[in-house]
Every structure is written in C-alpha cells, then in structure tokens.
Amino acid sequence: MTEGVAAPAAPTRREDLLERLARGGTWDLAVVGGGATGLGVALDAASRGLDVVLLESHDFAKGTSSRATKLVHGGVRYLAQGDIGLVREALHERTTLLRNAPHLAQPLPFVLPAYKLWELPYYGAGLVMYDALAGIAGLGRTEFLGRGKTLAALPTARPEGLKGGIRYWDGQFDDARLALALARTAAAQGALVVNYCEVTQLLHEGGRVAGLSARDAESGREFTVRARCVVNATGVWVDTLRQQDGKAIGRTVQGMVAPSQGVHVVVDRAFLPGQHALMVPKTADGRVLFAVPWLGKLILGTTDTPRDDLPREPRPFRQELEFILGESARYLVRAPGQGDIRSAWVGLRPLVRPVRNGDEPTKSLSREHTVLVSRSGLVTVTGGKWTTYRAMAEDVLERCYEAHLLPRGASGVTASLPLVGAPHRREAATPLSAPPGPHLYGTEADQVASLPGDRRDLGGGLTAAMVRFAARHEYARTVEDVLARRFRLLFLDARMAGDLAPEVGALLREETGLDPQVAAFRELAASYMQCAGV
C-alpha cells in the first residue's frame, strides 16, 4: 500500500459475523467483554496470530469504557502515594497510545493554580518528578507560572489570592471511539468481534472450561463456541461469570470487585475557554478535580462514591453533582450552576478486593489491575485504567502462557501497531478540544465523506454520511450506538441528542432494516438531562 493512502474500511455486516460465529471448530481464545480491557486482549492475541473471538452483551464500550474522564495519564495521585512503578508504566503507555492513535489521543497542557505559597514548591516538586519518570516519553516540560501567565492560561480562574501556577502535560482522548478503533483493528488482524451477543453459559468438560454458549440479542439465535482459553474481561461484572464457574466445579468463589462510581458534568466552554485543562490536586474532601476541554465542551469531575449495585446506566447522586459544582465555584470566576449542565454521566469503576490464595491461585500484576486463573482455567482480569489497557493485555496473555492455556507467542507487537484511522505521517492534528467532526475519523475521513449525505448536517457536526458509516463499518445497530459512542452527542448535549434521535433512527432503519430504538434512546437522553432540571 502506498504510504499515506488509507485502506478502505471493512464492512461489518451482521449476518457475516454471525455466520462466522456459527462455523464451529475450536478457537484459541474467547474473550468475554467488549470494553477497553477485553478489546485490548483480543487485539494483542490476534496480532500474535491466535484465532480470537470476542463477544459483548451490549455495545462495545457501553459500560465504564465510554465514561472515563477522557485523560490519558500517568496518575499524579499515584505518585503522591509512592507507587513509582505504576506511574512509570502508565507514562510509558501514555506515549504509546498517543503515537498509535494520534487522531483520537493527544497531548494536553494542564495548569494547577496555587492559592497558597506552599503549593508551588510542594506540587511543583512532584510534577517535576513526574516529568523525570516519563524521561524521553515526556510530552512537555513542567513550568512554574507567575500570576499573569496562570490567568492567561486559565482566563476564568478566580484571581483573588492567586499566587501563580504550575503547567504540566498529560494526554486526553475519545474513549468510546478508541474502543471502537481497538475492535476494528482486532478485526483487521483476523479476530471476530461481535457486539449484542451475550454469553449465557460457560462450558465445562472434565472440570475445565472448554468454551461458552452465547445468544444473539437481535434474533435470539444461539451459538456454542469452543475455545482453548476463555478470558473474563467484563469489568465490574466479572464476578457473575466467576460465580458461575465456581458453581460448575463445586467451589465457593469470593467476590473480587467493590464498585465505585465517578460522576462527570459537561458544561459550555465559556466557563473555561482556552486550550488548557485545570487540575485541583486536593479538593475539600481530598479528591482530585479536573476541568477538561473536550470536543467543544468542558468536562468537570470526578467523584469517587462506593455503591453496591451494578446498573447498566448509573445516575449521579445529588450530593455528587453538588460537590462538583461547589468545588468548581472555588476556582472559577463564574461557576456553572445546575441549569448550565448539558449532560452528566456516571462510570462504574471495578476496584479490586484482595482475593484469598486459598480460593484461587492469584497473580496480582499491579495494584491497578488483577489477573486470576481459576482451577477450571477461567482467566479473569479486572481493575486497571484506560491508559494501561495495552500493558494489561500483555499481562493477561503472559498469565495464559504460564497456565499452559495458550502457546507462547511473540510479545510487544501492539506497541508499534497503529490503530484504524491513524495517520501514516505525523500531521498537525485538530485538537480534541475542538467540536467533533471529520478529523476524528483520521485517514477514513474521505471514505466517510464519499457516502450519501456528507453535506447533510443533522446537528452538532453529525452528518447523515457519518450515520451511514457507523452502520456499515462501525458495528452500530441502534440510535444509542450512534449518538452515544460513534458520535459523542449524548455525552456533550443530551437535549440535542434526544432531538436528533428520530432523524438518526430513520437513517439507521434504512441501513439495517431494524428498529433503531428511538423511543428508548430519547428516554435515556432525558435521564442525562434530568440532573440539570431541563
């Protein structure tokens, strides 16, 4: 292929995917879960030449993986906790991600405003160390800013009592589109990835996991999938399969996930214009607060609240919204109120409980993520964060090799594997702080533009051609798939997303012949607006 010329996007015809799933035979690896972790495992395994199938019960990145703070970062707070190894790994992976998907992940300057003199040397020393740990993987030099330069970078920061600031660099990304790029890149490497296909049962033979049963959500068609190795990468829901596995082999399984939720609020960029993000390292209750420019809006967050249930669409608690708006008022001249919220979303985080060695042989590969292999051979991975998805995938496959579930293959392949849409040459990229548009498709932008409706703007930058591309090449089946994850309008302006649902639905029905679930999406969009009193 000539350098600089993008390969045409492969079609994702549902009937072809299901026909391939029904062929039988034995796969090397079956991955359950289509979030960042599962997709990363599927891509890594497929790039090593393994036969891989991945099944997701809903849409790719439907859960936590589309609800991140949109930061690709080393984790400044882990540095304060002394976890040097974790920070160094995340900083290395940050650079790898930005290099392999520059259209979806880019550097972003942050400013930490200091209102007390001691904050400048205290936080500055930590951020200088952060740079040192990054080494040649650094994105920019940490700088101490005077009061004037701090206000130039953060024009709407509260000036009273401001002593100065510290500018440092991390990254930001479009999480749902990155997950989609992982899925499509894995498919290009030979993996079969199928959304809306729920795993209903693990298959056991002789006390060992031998595959799984699955059901297509659209047709109800059932499949038996045999595999030499099964990886449970279902995030906060991993205990469901683990308990099923334990019951099959007569063992009691200890739950390993203690879920926590993080709330994010979206407001207009007028509350913090410019190209810098704001970071508050310690809020009134000790948490970190970010104000991040993203896709034409401003994200405020995040919280960290334990919860016992595992809803697919968690909603913010009132006290969480009050906390975010209240903390914003301490740092911004004009702080947003409840009526200024354009959308609010919640992500469930799979915080890992310690698991007794007597229950299952445990190999915890970092404080952030954990990999377990049960007595039956079921491999479970949970915890971690988006930035280190690739390193987590390598850890999972290494554990599979150690347990003799897969043949050992060459590692590190994905470190230099560009994701679908990545430019072949370094170009001046449109910043992710800009409103969404064709630039998010990278080298596929011309192919999107070639479809009918390229000049038909539905609203918010979404064109009819983008909807058709989502249906033909990006596994989209419903209005929610398009307006929440292929094009992030639900997360940017829930009211507009609800208004556009009927027109998007008509296009999808034309493309797929299916019910696009317009009414269900409009109800969902309304719930994203309720917190704003709209």
Side-chain angles (χ1 to χ4, degrees), residues 163-245:
K163 309 301 181 186
I166 308 162
R167 176 162 50 205
Y168 73 101
W169 290 79
D170 252 323
Q172 68 173 159
F173 73 134
D174 184 334
D175 49 2
R177 286 205 63 83
L178 185 67
L180 183 63
L182 290 176
R184 297 179 62 216
T185 307
Q189 294 290 317
L192 172 62
V193 296
V194 187
N195 54 353
Y196 294 106
C197 192
E198 181 183 7
V199 171
T200 55
Q201 188 72 35
L202 292 173
L203 304 180
H204 291 79
E205 293 179 358
R208 303 288 295 177
V209 171
L212 49 86
S213 298
R215 181 187 300 116
D216 173 35
E218 293 179 2
S219 65
R221 185 178 177 186
E222 297 190 346
F223 302 87
T224 297
V225 180
R226 300 187 62 81
R228 295 179 178 86
C229 179
V230 176
V231 170
N232 172 17
T234 51
V236 293
W237 297 278
V238 291
D239 284 333
T240 300
L241 272 187
R242 291 180 64 245
Q243 289 163 0
Q244 186 188 114
D245 176 58

Side-chain angles (χ1 to χ4, degrees), residues 91-111:
L91 288 170
H92 174 79
E93 291 300 321
R94 178 189 69 179
T95 302
T96 300
L97 199 162
L98 267 59
R99 181 180 64 245
N100 289 342
H103 56 311
L104 297 174
Q106 299 166 3
L108 177 69
F110 288 72
V111 172

Side-chain angles (χ1 to χ4, degrees), residues 36-47:
T37 305
L39 292 167
V41 171
L43 174 56
D44 199 308
S47 69

Side-chain angles (χ1 to χ4, degrees), residues 53 67 151 156 229 239 241 293 300 512 520 533:
V53 59
R67 303 160 189 266
L151 288 173
T156 53
C229 179
D239 284 333
L241 272 187
L300 302 173
T512 68

Side-chain angles (χ1 to χ4, degrees), residues 145-471:
L145 305 178
R147 186 176 183 276
K149 287 189 175 181
T150 300
L151 288 173
L154 304 175
T156 53
R158 182 169 59 83
E160 295 84 8
L162 182 66
K163 309 301 181 186
I166 308 162
R167 176 162 50 205
Y168 73 101
W169 290 79
D170 252 323
Q172 68 173 159
F173 73 134
D174 184 334
D175 49 2
R177 286 205 63 83
L178 185 67
L180 183 63
L182 290 176
R184 297 179 62 216
T185 307
Q189 294 290 317
L192 172 62
V193 296
V194 187
N195 54 353
Y196 294 106
C197 192
E198 181 183 7
V199 171
T200 55
Q201 188 72 35
L202 292 173
L203 304 180
H204 291 79
E205 293 179 358
R208 303 288 295 177
V209 171
L212 49 86
S213 298
R215 181 187 300 116
D216 173 35
E218 293 179 2
S219 65
R221 185 178 177 186
E222 297 190 346
F223 302 87
T224 297
V225 180
R226 300 187 62 81
R228 295 179 178 86
C229 179
V230 176
V231 170
N232 172 17
T234 51
V236 293
W237 297 278
V238 291
D239 284 333
T240 300
L241 272 187
R242 291 180 64 245
Q243 289 163 0
Q244 186 188 114
D245 176 58
K247 185 176 181 180
I249 60 174
R251 294 188 62 82
T252 300
V253 173
Q254 174 191 358
M256 66 182 293
V257 172
S260 170
Q261 77 172 26
V263 173
H264 304 83
V265 167
V266 175
V267 297
D268 289 337
R269 282 288 299 280
F271 289 99
L272 185 64
Q275 300 301 315
H276 289 73
L278 181 151
M279 193 274 274
V280 177
K282 193 171 184 179
T283 57
D285 67 350
R287 289 181 282 198
V288 175
L289 178 74
F290 291 103
V292 180
W294 186 72
L295 298 184
K297 298 293 183 181
L298 184 72
I299 299 174
L300 302 173
T302 176
T303 60
D304 187 7
T305 308
R307 65 181 303 161
D308 297 324
D309 56 341
L310 297 172
R312 285 286 173 179
E313 279 291 346
R315 301 309 303 139
F317 300 125
R318 178 167 295 278
Q319 61 267 30
E320 292 177 302
L321 295 174
E322 292 172 351
F323 167 78
I324 291 174
L325 296 175
E327 287 298 304
S328 299
R330 296 177 59 199
Y331 294 93
L332 299 176
V333 171
R334 185 172 75 90
Q338 194 164 323
D340 296 306
I341 298 175
R342 299 294 185 184
S343 184
W345 75 83
V346 180
L348 295 180
R349 299 174 179 134
L351 304 181
V352 183
R353 307 176 194 265
V355 177
R356 297 187 305 272
N357 287 336
D359 181 50
E360 293 178 297
T362 303
K363 184 168 186 180
S364 183
L365 294 154
S366 88
R367 285 176 58 188
E368 275 290 276
H369 68 272
T370 297
V371 181
L372 305 178
V373 180
S374 76
R375 293 180 182 272
S376 73
L378 176 67
V379 180
T380 295
V381 55
T382 194
K385 61 181 181 180
W386 245 117
T387 305
T388 55
Y389 83 88
R390 198 197 65 82
M392 290 169 60
E394 289 195 333
D395 287 346
V396 170
L397 290 180
E398 181 62 28
R399 191 71 181 98
C400 294
Y401 298 147
E402 291 176 356
H404 307 291
L405 297 170
L406 292 172
R408 183 172 292 278
S411 62
V413 180
T414 56
S416 57
L417 180 64
L419 301 185
V420 164
H424 298 286
R425 296 190 183 96
R426 281 215 168 269
E427 303 166 358
T430 301
L432 285 172
S433 57
H439 56 278
L440 294 172
Y441 294 85
T443 59
E444 295 184 315
D446 288 344
Q447 189 174 353
V448 176
S450 71
L451 297 178
D454 177 55
R455 296 184 180 277
R456 182 182 164 194
D457 190 332
L458 306 179
L462 176 66
T463 67
M466 291 174 181
V467 178
R468 295 189 190 280
F469 189 81

